[in-house]
Amino acid sequence: GEAISAHIKAILPKGTKTKRIRYGAITKKDLTEAIKNATEVDDDLVAAYEARRILDRIVGFKCSWPVKQATGGKSAGRVQSSTLRFLGEREKEIRDFVPITYWSIIAELLTKKKEKVVAPLTKPTKLKVNSKEMAKEIVDALKKGPIKVSAYEKVNKSTKPYAPFTTSTLQQCASSFLGWSPKKTMTVAQELFEQSLITYHRTDSKFIVPEVIQSVRASIEDKYGAKYCPTKQWHYAKSKNAQEAHEAVRPTDISVENPGSGDSNKLYKMIWKRLVASQMSQAVFLRSKAEFKCKKYVLSTTGSTCTFDGWRKCWDYGKLEDYTVPEMKVGDVLDLIDSSMTKEQTKPPSRYSEASSVKQMEKLGIGRPSTFANTLDTLKNRKYVEIIKKAINVTELGVKVVDFLVEANFCFVDLGFTANMENDLDRIARAEVGKLCILSNFYEVLKEDIARAKTIKEEKSKTNYKCGKCDGKLLKKFSKFGPFFSCENY
């Protein structure tokens, strides 16, 4: 936004008086306030923007060519390559995974009051029960008994409401509960923003202005009753790497609950409920737990029942567990109704979904709210990843590109380096360091990376095939048409 202002200012006739306004929603109130508080263009923010774009251009232009020559991949990028790295590492974990066989044991027990309890074996742990003989030995021991209650507790636990939406959490919830891709979520959110229904939807802030919070708290009392409105308002901590240039994503008018129909209404209702729930009372759950001992073996079971719904009265997405472990006392002997032993295998780690990859990007400090969805689209367009049943599968080409980037030790695929670079860009915006200083330091490191990548690329391209026209060896290279052979003397 600051850069657009600077660009417009630069092409206006010399001497034109200009002011910059900043707003987070397209409403009369927000625009009027913005005009009242108009300021000059912030040159430090413009410098941070320019540094970001130059960094992306340097990486894209300078590093894509060796990547293409070595692997056939179309491009490398400061944000896309860091994202591809953690996706590629998960893909290799899955491919290299060796399953472990174990036996899970579950017992059905009957209390003194004739109430049934289902309790899995917890000691020894599942993976330690690694043979059929051992599993049978445990089942036989349970049949002989006695099975006694060794621990029992019931305790009330309170849970704080979720914070209002940031771009990342909005994309994650839309994926989980609406089945949408991050791209679709941002498209629908853009429509809501343009209709003046929500605040700006590209944000990493959980902050809500005080007057809106007061309005929300008043509406909670009216709609749900005084017990659903806590005595003090909730505050949510700033996330690591957050710039907080805008408020959290929220409705511009809390009195509007259903502005329309279709997809836009589905997303709006989710945003509305998230904001209102964020200022409601804690939900209270009765957590119950029991442990049962039979010789050296331990079984256990847990339960949870909501005793006061609190913020869950409004935020009704997702199911709540509703099971309480029956009352019993330590020392009680339980009857064994039945027991089972099932042969199972450990499963590989699950692939990232689009939503969980956005969460990981945010956690690692890769990119910004405005780039999360676009980064995944870029990886798909480059054929580095493909979405199969909502899971991100890294292709052979994607793995090949990751392997080359890591082997060449490019600085921008070092996830710690990437997060630190985001901090450096924020420091430029805060006038703590100059743009040229950050760019120069980065380019000195990158030049060495590129030289190393070229050496590795040349080594990898060598073959044992002889050229038909001279004594040279053929090199394997890549073009937009695919792989081809070229003489080393060409």
Side-chain angles (χ1 to χ4, degrees), residues 96-200:
D96 297 341
F97 179 78
V98 178
I100 298 169
T101 301
Y102 66 94
W103 272 257
S104 67
I105 295 169
I106 296 175
E108 282 187 40
L109 308 172
L110 199 65
T111 68
K112 282 186 173 182
K113 294 179 181 177
K114 305 302 177 188
E115 293 171 299
K116 194 165 85 169
V117 179
V118 177
L121 182 79
T122 52
K123 188 178 177 182
T125 56
K126 282 182 179 180
L127 295 184
K128 288 184 178 175
V129 186
N130 53 18
S131 70
K132 188 176 181 179
E133 292 72 28
M134 186 178 179
K136 193 171 182 312
E137 185 184 309
I138 295 169
V139 169
D140 289 342
L142 294 176
K143 286 176 181 175
K144 288 175 185 174
I147 301 171
K148 291 184 178 181
V149 179
S150 55
Y152 182 83
E153 67 172 7
K154 274 187 179 180
V155 61
N156 280 313
K157 293 273 186 184
S158 300
T159 61
K160 184 180 174 181
Y162 297 131
F165 279 133
T166 61
T167 302
S168 168
T169 52
L170 177 64
Q171 290 176 4
Q172 289 168 50
C173 279
S175 174
S176 298
F177 303 120
L178 303 178
W180 294 0
S181 69
K183 186 177 182 180
K184 178 173 180 177
T185 303
M186 295 309 279
T187 301
V188 177
Q190 180 71 33
E191 292 168 8
L192 292 171
F193 176 67
E194 289 172 4
Q195 292 166 29
S196 306
L197 290 168
I198 63 168
T199 55
Y200 194 51

Side-chain angles (χ1 to χ4, degrees), residues 162-165 169 173 270-278 315:
Y162 297 131
F165 279 133
T169 52
C173 279
M270 185 174 273
I271 293 168
W272 187 93
K273 287 182 178 184
R274 185 71 164 220
L275 173 67
V276 174
S278 74
W315 182 258

Side-chain angles (χ1 to χ4, degrees), residues 74-340:
K74 287 185 178 177
S75 68
R78 187 175 65 87
V79 175
Q80 63 160 288
S81 295
S82 300
T83 305
L84 183 61
R85 179 175 183 177
F86 75 73
L87 294 172
E89 285 177 345
R90 176 62 59 86
E91 190 70 34
K92 286 196 278 187
E93 277 181 55
I94 293 167
R95 292 182 185 186
D96 297 341
F97 179 78
V98 178
I100 298 169
T101 301
Y102 66 94
W103 272 257
S104 67
I105 295 169
I106 296 175
E108 282 187 40
L109 308 172
L110 199 65
T111 68
K112 282 186 173 182
K113 294 179 181 177
K114 305 302 177 188
E115 293 171 299
K116 194 165 85 169
V117 179
V118 177
L121 182 79
T122 52
K123 188 178 177 182
T125 56
K126 282 182 179 180
L127 295 184
K128 288 184 178 175
V129 186
N130 53 18
S131 70
K132 188 176 181 179
E133 292 72 28
M134 186 178 179
K136 193 171 182 312
E137 185 184 309
I138 295 169
V139 169
D140 289 342
L142 294 176
K143 286 176 181 175
K144 288 175 185 174
I147 301 171
K148 291 184 178 181
V149 179
S150 55
Y152 182 83
E153 67 172 7
K154 274 187 179 180
V155 61
N156 280 313
K157 293 273 186 184
S158 300
T159 61
K160 184 180 174 181
Y162 297 131
F165 279 133
T166 61
T167 302
S168 168
T169 52
L170 177 64
Q171 290 176 4
Q172 289 168 50
C173 279
S175 174
S176 298
F177 303 120
L178 303 178
W180 294 0
S181 69
K183 186 177 182 180
K184 178 173 180 177
T185 303
M186 295 309 279
T187 301
V188 177
Q190 180 71 33
E191 292 168 8
L192 292 171
F193 176 67
E194 289 172 4
Q195 292 166 29
S196 306
L197 290 168
I198 63 168
T199 55
Y200 194 51
H201 50 292
R202 295 182 180 92
T203 176
D204 52 18
S205 174
K206 300 169 190 170
F207 174 72
I208 300 290
V209 292
E211 56 266 33
V212 170
I213 290 179
Q214 292 311 313
S215 171
V216 169
R217 286 171 60 81
S219 73
I220 290 168
E221 285 210 34
D222 291 343
K223 189 175 176 68
Y224 301 107
K227 67 179 179 178
Y228 285 94
C229 188
T231 52
K232 291 183 180 178
Q233 67 184 53
W234 292 110
H235 295 279
Y236 297 94
K238 175 180 174 178
S239 302
K240 186 185 174 186
N241 297 316
Q243 289 177 321
E244 299 200 316
H246 298 276
E247 272 188 88
V249 187
R250 63 165 177 84
T252 53
D253 184 353
I254 194 67
S255 67
V256 177
E257 281 191 53
N258 291 292
S261 59
D263 286 345
S264 59
N265 201 52
K266 286 179 188 174
L267 191 64
Y268 180 86
K269 280 178 78 173
M270 185 174 273
I271 293 168
W272 187 93
K273 287 182 178 184
R274 185 71 164 220
L275 173 67
V276 174
S278 74
Q279 287 303 321
M280 290 176 73
S281 301
Q282 295 189 89
V284 182
F285 296 87
L286 179 64
R287 312 276 193 202
S288 47
K289 182 181 179 181
E291 279 190 353
F292 314 99
K293 211 164 186 182
C294 178
K295 299 181 176 63
K296 60 182 179 180
Y297 307 117
V298 177
L299 305 144
S300 67
T301 188
T302 59
S304 177
T305 304
C306 184
T307 55
F308 175 61
D309 50 5
W311 59 277
R312 292 289 317 209
K313 180 88 171 175
C314 177
W315 182 258
D316 51 4
Y317 297 92
K319 291 179 181 176
L320 294 175
E321 186 186 352
D322 189 16
Y323 170 70
T324 305
V325 179
E327 291 280 350
M328 56 191 92
K329 293 176 184 174
V330 173
D332 282 356
V333 177
L334 277 72
D335 295 327
L336 179 71
I337 303 172
D338 193 16
S339 60
S340 64

Side-chain angles (χ1 to χ4, degrees), residues 358-485:
V358 165
K359 186 177 182 179
Q360 186 70 352
M361 287 169 73
E362 184 181 47
K363 181 182 173 184
L364 296 171
I366 299 171
R368 286 293 179 210
S370 57
T371 63
F372 292 154
N374 292 341
T375 300
L376 294 174
D377 272 352
T378 299
L379 294 177
K380 282 187 271 185
N381 293 337
R382 298 289 185 267
K383 311 291 186 203
Y384 293 163
V385 303
E386 53 189 6
I387 312 296
I388 301 173
K389 294 180 180 177
K390 296 188 177 181
I392 299 177
N393 289 249
V394 181
T395 62
E396 288 296 338
L397 178 59
V399 171
K400 197 185 289 185
V401 169
V402 169
D403 286 345
F404 177 71
L405 291 168
V406 172
E407 188 178 353
N409 200 22
F410 275 111
C411 57
F412 54 86
V413 293
D414 177 330
L415 301 178
F417 183 94
T418 303
N420 288 334
M421 180 55 68
E422 291 291 353
N423 290 333
D424 285 339
L425 292 166
D426 291 344
R427 288 174 62 214
I428 297 170
R430 296 193 296 266
E432 293 171 7
V433 64
K435 173 180 70 178
L436 288 177
C437 174
I438 298 298
L439 289 172
S440 298
N441 290 344
F442 175 77
Y443 194 54
E444 286 306 311
V445 174
L446 192 67
K447 277 196 293 188
E448 291 181 15
D449 294 349
I450 293 168
R452 185 167 54 251
K454 284 179 178 175
T455 303
I456 293 170
K457 177 204 75 174
E458 286 162 10
E459 282 299 315
K460 282 183 173 293
S461 68
K462 288 178 181 176
T463 73
N464 292 320
Y465 303 121
K466 284 186 178 179
C467 174
K469 294 186 177 181
C470 70
D471 292 332
K473 291 283 183 73
L474 292 184
L475 305 176
K476 187 178 181 181
K477 295 188 174 183
F478 293 86
S479 75
K480 63 181 178 181
F481 304 107
F484 67 96
F485 290 103

